[in-house]
Amino acid sequence: MARGTALTPLGLAALSLLVEEPMHPYEMYQLLIARHEDRLVKVRPGTLYHAVGRLEEQGLVAATGTDREGNRPERTTYTISNAGREAFTTRIRDMLAAPVNEYPSFPLAISEAYNLPADVVAGLLDQRLTALQEQLEYLESGEELLRTKGVERKYWVDIQYQQSMLQAEIAWIHGFQDQLRSGELPW
Amino acid sequence: MARGTALTPLGLAALSLLVEEPMHPYEMYQLLIARHEDRLVKVRPGTLYHAVGRLEEQGLVAATGTDREGNRPERTTYTISNAGREAFTTRIRDMLAAPVNEYPSFPLAISEAYNLPADVVAGLLDQRLTALQEQLEYLESGEELLRTKGVERKYWVDIQYQQSMLQAEIAWIHGFQDQLRSGELPW
DNA sequence: CAACGATTATTCCACGTGGAATAATCGGGT
DNA sequence: ACCCGATTATTCCACGTGGAATAATCGTTG
């Protein structure tokens, strides 16, 4: 029975893996890293174990066995339950349908930017622009790789979304800098 | 002396107010709400008191007096220190110059969307679109208000940023829906 | 073949957040 | 004159996160 508290992003990612097949937390960790899912969800080993533990408490997954290799710590394998499958799709539905304010820090930063001189702000934004440009190129090369590898497009639509958003931010910053530097925007 | 841990968004907002004049936490709370800063920073009374307490521990602010009105709880007034002013501008510089991944949930949601049927996804995104459109209109009316009130533009540049980003998300979703509905994107 | 670092696998603790609890006083209606 | 809800003002607790700690084993280089 999924209790009051809503599925955490990492919890969702874990369930997503368990939909494919039962596995133990460390395998989840490896898969998430190997698939570069850590670009979408913050993945920390400690947090992952806690997350899976909570999923179990909530009845969304069940420990279905333990094995051990050599003298290493015992590994607990988890399996998703029907309630888990239900909670999984429900959460995805919610996240798609309802936008939520997640308080990104950049808007806050520009809202406080008036505390710095205009030319300093413009210069700092130059630094940001190069970093954003780099991210964009990284995404483009990633897309290229997935395309040539023949991975179905439905598995990487998020990359195109990220590209669009990056481009929008870059464009906005350029416009803002112009206004700052031309003096069109009094500072 | 600003210690290892970086200024929290709410900590930054608090410092920003203390740059204007000394005040007590509850006054900060009122001001943040009155100025609608809670659209940029998550503001919870409990968190605010903790945040200010930490600022004090870090030497960025100092308690410079207590007064009480009637039999209400004692109010502690805080003043920003030079170290505080320094940490304040430094943090803004950082936030402007260096983009950080903040793991918004929508990209995760679309990356998991392949778990749902295409027409369901398109429908959920319709709901999202109406919500986003509403937000956009809200921002536009806010901008209108500030403009007629004659508030200097440098104090609300973040509104224009938010508008641009909203428009970009809306545009991307439209494109995505088209690809889903036309079958151009195999699902 | 020994040493050393990387990998496997998990636990634990400190911190920041958010919501509830508390408690007094003020304002408005009846 | 009295009651009720909103406002003033702060404290406290439970939860999720992140980083460090732990500890064994595997792979690699000299």
Side-chain angles (χ1 to χ4, degrees):
Chain A
M1 225 103 320
R3 284 235 315 298
T5 41
L7 221 39
T8 233
L10 189 54
L12 189 79
L15 283 184
S16 181
L17 294 175
L18 292 179
V19 165
E20 294 179 31
E21 60 169 338
M23 59 182 91
H24 52 91
Y26 191 70
E27 194 178 349
M28 294 179 202
Y29 178 75
Q30 288 176 111
L31 266 177
L32 290 173
I33 299 299
R35 293 182 185 176
H36 302 280
E37 287 254 7
D38 56 334
R39 295 180 41 73
L40 293 168
V41 197
K42 211 179 289 183
V43 180
R44 292 284 172 284
T47 312
L48 182 54
Y49 283 89
H50 285 316
V52 174
R54 257 174 287 137
L55 292 178
E56 190 183 16
E57 279 167 30
Q58 293 170 139
L60 305 182
V61 305
T64 49
T66 58
D67 71 313
R68 90 164 44 207
E69 207 134 310
N71 207 10
R72 302 260 189 79
E74 197 174 65
R75 298 178 303 190
T76 307
T77 299
Y78 293 89
T79 306
I80 191 169
S81 69
N82 286 331
R85 260 177 271 269
E86 175 68 19
F88 176 62
T89 54
T90 302
R91 187 79 235 273
I92 297 174
R93 267 178 245 267
D94 279 6
M95 289 164 71
L96 284 172
V100 292
N101 189 351
E102 288 167 294
Y103 306 93
S105 65
F106 185 58
L108 174 60
I110 43 181
S111 90
E112 296 286 354
Y114 68 88
N115 289 285
L116 304 174
D119 58 326
V120 170
V121 172
L124 293 164
L125 290 178
D126 275 332
Q127 293 179 44
R128 188 183 193 85
L129 279 175
T130 45
L132 293 176
Q133 209 68 52
E134 238 168 68
Q135 283 181 33
L136 196 52
E137 278 153 27
Y138 182 74
L139 285 178
E140 275 158 6
S141 69
E143 185 184 356
E144 184 63 20
L145 188 71
L146 289 162
R147 199 186 295 279
T148 58
K149 264 188 156 183
V151 179
E152 280 185 74
R153 202 151 120 250
K154 65 170 171 174
Y155 293 125
W156 43 275
V157 274
D158 59 286
I159 294 201
Q160 301 178 324
Y161 172 80
Q162 310 249 43
Q163 283 175 354
S164 294
M165 291 295 139
L166 266 176
Q167 279 158 359
E169 180 169 337
I170 289 171
W172 183 86
I173 294 179
H174 274 135
F176 181 60
Q177 282 186 320
D178 286 350
Q179 292 179 40
L180 266 185
R181 290 192 165 126
S182 70
E184 185 191 332
L185 170 53
W187 206 255
Chain B
M1 229 110 307
R3 282 237 314 299
T5 41
L7 221 39
T8 236
L10 189 55
L12 188 79
L15 282 185
S16 181
L17 294 176
L18 292 179
V19 165
E20 294 179 31
E21 61 170 338
M23 59 182 90
H24 53 91
Y26 191 70
E27 194 178 348
M28 294 178 201
Y29 179 75
Q30 288 176 111
L31 266 177
L32 290 172
I33 300 298
R35 293 183 185 175
H36 303 281
E37 287 254 7
D38 57 333
R39 297 180 38 74
L40 293 168
V41 196
K42 211 179 289 181
V43 180
R44 292 284 171 286
T47 312
L48 182 55
Y49 283 89
H50 285 315
V52 174
R54 257 174 286 135
L55 292 178
E56 191 184 15
E57 281 167 30
Q58 293 169 138
L60 305 182
V61 306
T64 49
T66 58
D67 71 314
R68 91 165 42 207
E69 207 135 310
N71 207 7
R72 303 259 189 81
E74 197 175 65
R75 297 179 304 189
T76 307
T77 299
Y78 292 90
T79 306
I80 191 168
S81 69
N82 287 331
R85 261 176 270 268
E86 173 69 19
F88 176 63
T89 54
T90 303
R91 187 79 234 273
I92 297 174
R93 266 177 245 266
D94 278 7
M95 288 164 72
L96 284 171
V100 293
N101 188 352
E102 288 166 294
Y103 304 93
S105 66
F106 185 58
L108 175 60
I110 43 181
S111 90
E112 295 287 353
Y114 68 88
N115 288 286
L116 304 175
D119 58 327
V120 170
V121 172
L124 293 165
L125 290 179
D126 275 331
Q127 293 178 45
R128 187 181 194 86
L129 279 175
T130 45
L132 293 177
Q133 210 69 51
E134 239 168 68
Q135 285 182 32
L136 196 53
E137 279 153 28
Y138 181 74
L139 284 178
E140 276 157 8
S141 67
E143 186 184 356
E144 184 64 19
L145 189 71
L146 288 162
R147 199 186 295 279
T148 58
K149 264 187 158 184
V151 179
E152 281 185 75
R153 201 151 123 251
K154 65 170 172 175
Y155 293 125
W156 43 274
V157 274
D158 60 286
I159 295 201
Q160 302 179 325
Y161 173 80
Q162 309 250 45
Q163 283 176 353
S164 294
M165 296 314 269
L166 266 175
Q167 279 158 358
E169 180 168 337
I170 290 171
W172 184 86
I173 293 178
H174 276 135
F176 181 60
Q177 282 186 319
D178 286 350
Q179 292 179 38
L180 265 185
R181 289 190 166 128
S182 68
E184 186 191 331
L185 172 53
W187 207 254

